[in-house]
């Protein structure tokens, strides 16, 4: 798929879920051994076109996420490239043991996509919001975790993740329309962060997912107050970009992490764990969802309540 300004604007209006569907549809054109599994969310995951175009490459297991991971692992063992998707809490926590055993322990290679992670399904409450998925998966060996910043990043992440050499979890956050972070073609390398803007070396704002755009907006406000900031898209939370953290710890006075996830176990924890081993590393401020649930509400309302 061509990454250009026109397409990026289109994908932004579609949002990450529909953009995921476009990426999967495009990938399937040239890959006969590609399979997509879902658990009763083909429409929500933007897969209706794929389901109709490639019926032999699509399996809807129904509301049976644990079975979905078992079937995916079986297909992977027969050298299929496999992508699974459903809403984030069901893609991760409902089938956590199967992810641990079949993917982490047995090392079967599956690309999992958790749609509508974070707070975007706030109207349905915290059974459907997902603020824990990074934390629970980070502790499983052999699972890479990516959180794309926008719809264009979702395209890049999907193609790279399907071809990756170990199981990977793509965490899709944000709503429709999806604000753009990348306005033209860009490099997306799993495990390597991207500097989005560089306004100086006082504060390094490290963000992932939907919060990269918010970090950019915060950086503009700080610039107006003559506070120098650099914004880094740390799209890969596991493995975190250690080389970037080495540079940041050496050059900046303060590190701020921002994520649409519990402050325990997510991006902030990954950064803290690494820089704790660096002598004279700068202070770290973690911004995210404090360790609590709350009332249901629409997405923007919850973001405001959680101070994101």
């Amino acid at each position: 798929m061509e990454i250009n300004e026109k397409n990026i604007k289109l994908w932004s209006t579609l949002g990450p879920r529909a953009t995921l569907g476009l990426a999967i549809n495009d990938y399937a054109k040239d890959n006969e051994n590609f399979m997509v599994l879902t658990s009763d969310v083909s429409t929500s995951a933007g897969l209706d076109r794929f389901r109709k175009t490639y019926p032999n490459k699509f399996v809807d297991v129904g509301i049976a996420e644990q079975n979905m991971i078992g079937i995916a692992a079986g297909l992977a063992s027969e050298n299929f490239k496999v992508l699974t998707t459903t809403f984030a809490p069901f893609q991760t926590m409902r089938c956590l043991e199967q992810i641990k055993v079949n993917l982490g322990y047995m090392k079967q290679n599956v690309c999992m996509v958790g749609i509508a992670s974070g707070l975007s399904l706030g109207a349905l409450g915290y059974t459907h919001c997902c603020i824990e998925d990074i934390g629970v998966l980070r502790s499983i060996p052999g699972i890479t975790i990516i959180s794309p910043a926008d719809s264009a990043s979702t395209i890049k992440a999907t193609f790279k993740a399907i071809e990756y050499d170990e199981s990977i979890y793509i965490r899709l956050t944000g709503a429709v329309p999806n604000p753009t972070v990348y306005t033209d073609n860009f490099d997306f390398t799993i495990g390597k962060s991207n500097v989005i803007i560089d306004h100086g070396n006082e504060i390094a704002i490290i963000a992932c997912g939907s919060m990269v755009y918010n970090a950019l907006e915060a950086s503009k406000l700080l610039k107006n107050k003559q506070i120098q900031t650099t914004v880094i898209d740390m799209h890969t939370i596991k493995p975190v970009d250690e080389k970037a953290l080495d540079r940041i710890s050496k050059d900046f006075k303060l590190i701020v992490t921002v994520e649409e996830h519990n402050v325990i176990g997510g991006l902030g924890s990954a950064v803290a764990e690494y820089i704790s081993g660096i002598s004279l590393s700068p202070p770290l401020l973690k911004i995210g969802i404090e360790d609590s649930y709350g009332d249901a509400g629409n997405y923007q309302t919850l973001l405001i309540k959680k101070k994101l």
Side-chain angles (χ1 to χ4, degrees):
M1 300 177 73
E2 186 174 356
I3 309 290
N4 55 40
E5 185 177 358
K6 179 181 178 182
N7 283 339
I8 287 172
K9 288 181 179 179
L10 170 63
W11 299 331
S12 175
T13 63
L14 295 175
R17 292 194 234 168
T19 302
L20 170 72
L22 293 176
I24 291 171
N25 210 60
D26 189 79
Y27 181 85
K29 293 177 183 177
D30 301 315
N31 293 276
E32 289 300 319
N33 67 332
F34 178 52
M35 293 291 296
V36 173
L37 280 66
T38 187
S39 55
D40 201 35
V41 297
S42 65
T43 299
S44 297
L47 296 175
D48 282 345
R49 181 182 296 180
F50 182 90
R51 173 175 55 84
K52 295 172 183 177
T53 306
Y54 303 103
N56 294 329
K57 297 181 179 181
F58 180 81
V59 178
D60 188 338
V61 303
I63 304 175
E65 292 83 1
Q66 295 167 332
N67 287 342
M68 179 176 69
I69 295 300
I71 295 167
L75 288 167
S77 73
E78 296 297 320
N79 297 317
F80 283 91
K81 295 183 182 298
V82 187
L83 182 144
T84 66
T85 185
T86 184
F87 291 110
F90 315 134
Q91 173 68 87
T92 56
M93 291 176 288
R94 182 169 290 174
C95 47
L96 188 59
E97 183 181 3
Q98 286 71 28
I99 293 171
K100 170 191 170 180
V101 175
N102 294 335
L103 307 188
Y105 184 38
M106 296 175 65
K107 299 183 180 179
Q108 299 301 339
N109 192 347
V110 173
C111 173
M112 302 173 285
V113 183
I115 61 172
S117 192
L119 301 171
S120 64
L121 292 181
L124 299 175
Y126 282 85
T127 56
H128 286 64
C129 290
C130 197
I131 64 171
E132 317 89 349
D133 47 349
I134 298 174
V136 297
L137 291 184
R138 276 185 65 229
S139 62
I140 298 178
I143 306 292
T144 294
I145 303 171
I146 296 175
S147 186
D150 61 6
S151 292
S153 298
T154 298
I155 294 280
K156 293 259 189 177
T158 301
F159 277 85
K160 291 292 182 74
I162 296 170
E163 295 287 342
Y164 202 55
D165 58 2
E166 72 176 16
S167 284
I168 197 162
Y169 174 58
I170 302 177
R171 183 183 198 249
L172 297 186
T173 54
V176 180
N178 192 221
T180 57
V181 170
Y182 296 95
T183 57
D184 208 337
N185 202 358
F186 59 99
D187 178 67
F188 188 101
T189 301
I190 294 172
K192 182 180 179 181
S193 59
N194 289 338
V195 175
I196 308 300
I197 57 172
D198 184 350
H199 289 161
N201 61 351
E202 287 187 280
I203 301 175
I205 306 177
I206 304 174
C208 63
S210 59
M211 292 296 106
V212 177
Y213 177 81
N214 288 23
L216 291 172
E217 293 297 293
S219 179
K220 293 175 185 177
L221 295 175
L222 291 170
K223 185 179 181 182
N224 292 335
K225 296 180 180 293
Q226 285 74 53
I227 298 174
Q228 299 176 355
T229 60
T230 292
V231 176
I232 298 102
D233 174 13
M234 191 70 72
H235 50 72
T236 306
I237 296 103
K238 183 185 177 185
V240 73
D241 187 347
E242 296 179 354
K243 290 183 179 179
L245 293 178
D246 286 335
R247 292 192 300 270
I248 291 166
S249 296
K250 178 181 177 182
D251 296 339
F252 287 82
K253 299 177 181 178
L254 174 67
I255 300 174
V256 179
T257 58
V258 192
E259 58 192 312
E260 194 177 329
H261 184 275
N262 194 335
V263 291
I264 296 174
L267 172 64
S269 292
V271 171
E273 288 162 13
Y274 184 75
I275 68 170
S276 66
I278 299 175
S279 178
L280 301 177
S281 61
L284 170 64
L285 171 62
K286 296 194 296 181
I287 297 176
I289 299 167
E290 294 302 324
D291 189 29
S292 66
Y293 295 116
D295 298 329
N298 69 48
Y299 184 45
Q300 293 301 325
T301 299
L302 291 185
L303 288 177
I304 292 169
K305 282 186 175 181
K306 298 300 183 180
K307 299 180 182 180
L308 295 173

